[in-house]
Amino acid sequence: DIVMTQTPLSSPVTLGQPASISCKSSQSLVHTDGTTYLSWLLQRPGQPPRLLIYKISNRFSGVPDRFSGSGSGTDFTLQISRVEAEDVGVYYCMQSTQFPHTFGQGTKVEIK
Amino acid sequence: EVQLLESGGDLVQPGGSLRLSCAASGFIFSMYVMDWVRQAPGKGLEWVSGISSGGDYRDYADSVKGRFTISRDNSKNILYLQMNSLRAEDTALYYCLIRPTTPVGGWGQGTLVTVSS
């Protein structure tokens, strides 16, 4: 199975300041079709996960442009340009390249 | 607007069975690959199973292989998860979602499965 490792596991941030989360996979996430199926999700407290990013860097409809994804191969990053109060929660990366699909452990983002 | 509504979660004894359903609307259900993901209380996310758009390809996590069966009815826009031989470790909130590989994204609210005597 592909192991997804996120860092940090906890990230206290100041409102209006940037934040960054790293996600590293134990194997390349490049599919045989040439696409990298790496996505990011946010789970706010008491809510189901919400999809933010798919295929490394594509935002889902309705996701603010302060969220951006980057990376390739085995190293990926989610960046929030200016953290807002509604961004608090646990962020997960997920790979859908190889079965079984796997998630990172989650990174808890909270306001300082 | 994409909507996914899970149902069928319940309290069941070890060894019992349940069938979860996920009613889809707001998108062309028959065109999309679908997944089930679960989250045990206070834990992270675990992918459970996935099914191709036409229903002919299915995959499972090792932890549920041989006990769970995923299926879909594209005429009714419903995704299913038949769960047999349930164990305490299957206790979780079960979510259905559109596999996040296309611009059409959706994740349900979840249905709670509790396995306990």
Side-chain angles (χ1 to χ4, degrees):
Chain A
D1 297 4
I2 295 178
V3 177
M4 306 294 285
T5 303
Q6 290 182 227
T7 54
L9 296 184
S10 178
S11 180
V13 296
T14 302
L15 287 175
Q17 294 300 304
S20 180
I21 301 169
S22 170
C23 175
K24 295 184 188 296
S25 59
S26 60
Q27 302 173 36
S28 172
L29 297 187
V30 180
H31 193 275
T32 53
D33 67 8
T35 304
T36 300
Y37 296 108
L38 184 283
S39 53
W40 290 95
L41 309 84
L42 164 61
Q43 186 169 32
R44 296 186 177 112
Q47 294 189 20
R50 174 195 178 190
L51 296 166
L52 299 176
I53 302 280
Y54 68 101
K55 292 195 291 186
I56 302 177
S57 59
N58 298 274
R59 281 188 299 275
F60 282 101
S61 176
V63 174
D65 60 9
R66 64 179 181 274
F67 290 95
S68 63
S70 62
S72 64
T74 60
D75 289 353
F76 306 93
T77 303
L78 177 70
Q79 292 185 308
I80 310 173
S81 59
R82 296 172 305 279
V83 172
E84 298 190 5
E86 65 180 17
D87 301 337
V88 164
V90 179
Y91 290 78
Y92 295 93
C93 59
M94 174 190 181
Q95 68 83 15
S96 302
T97 293
Q98 183 182 112
F99 292 109
H101 298 172
T102 47
F103 294 86
Q105 323 96 299
T107 295
K108 187 174 184 178
V109 171
E110 52 194 2
I111 304 300
K112 281 183 184 174
Chain B
E1 180 192 0
V2 169
Q3 291 198 357
L4 297 168
L5 183 61
E6 303 93 338
S7 61
D10 204 349
L11 170 64
V12 62
Q13 292 189 341
S17 297
L18 277 178
R19 187 175 82 159
L20 306 184
S21 299
C22 172
S25 61
F27 65 105
I28 304 174
F29 179 70
S30 60
M31 289 182 62
Y32 291 92
V33 179
M34 300 294 295
D35 288 320
W36 286 98
V37 167
R38 67 185 180 184
Q39 186 170 36
K43 302 296 185 182
L45 299 167
E46 179 189 15
W47 178 83
V48 173
S49 182
I51 188 168
S52 60
S53 56
D56 41 358
Y57 294 102
R58 311 171 190 201
D59 292 278
Y60 301 92
D62 284 347
S63 57
V64 307
K65 202 170 291 183
R67 300 187 298 122
F68 290 11
T69 301
I70 191 172
S71 61
R72 64 192 298 162
D73 186 334
N74 285 346
S75 68
K76 296 181 179 178
N77 292 349
I78 301 178
L79 175 72
Y80 299 102
L81 186 68
Q82 177 67 41
M83 310 165 67
N84 298 332
S85 303
L86 282 161
R87 305 167 180 167
E89 54 265 36
D90 296 319
T91 294
L93 199 52
Y94 284 74
Y95 298 103
C96 69
L97 62 147
I98 303 169
R99 185 168 296 170
T101 55
T102 75
V104 178
W107 197 292
Q109 293 293 310
T111 187
L112 182 62
V113 172
T114 304
V115 184
S116 175
S117 54

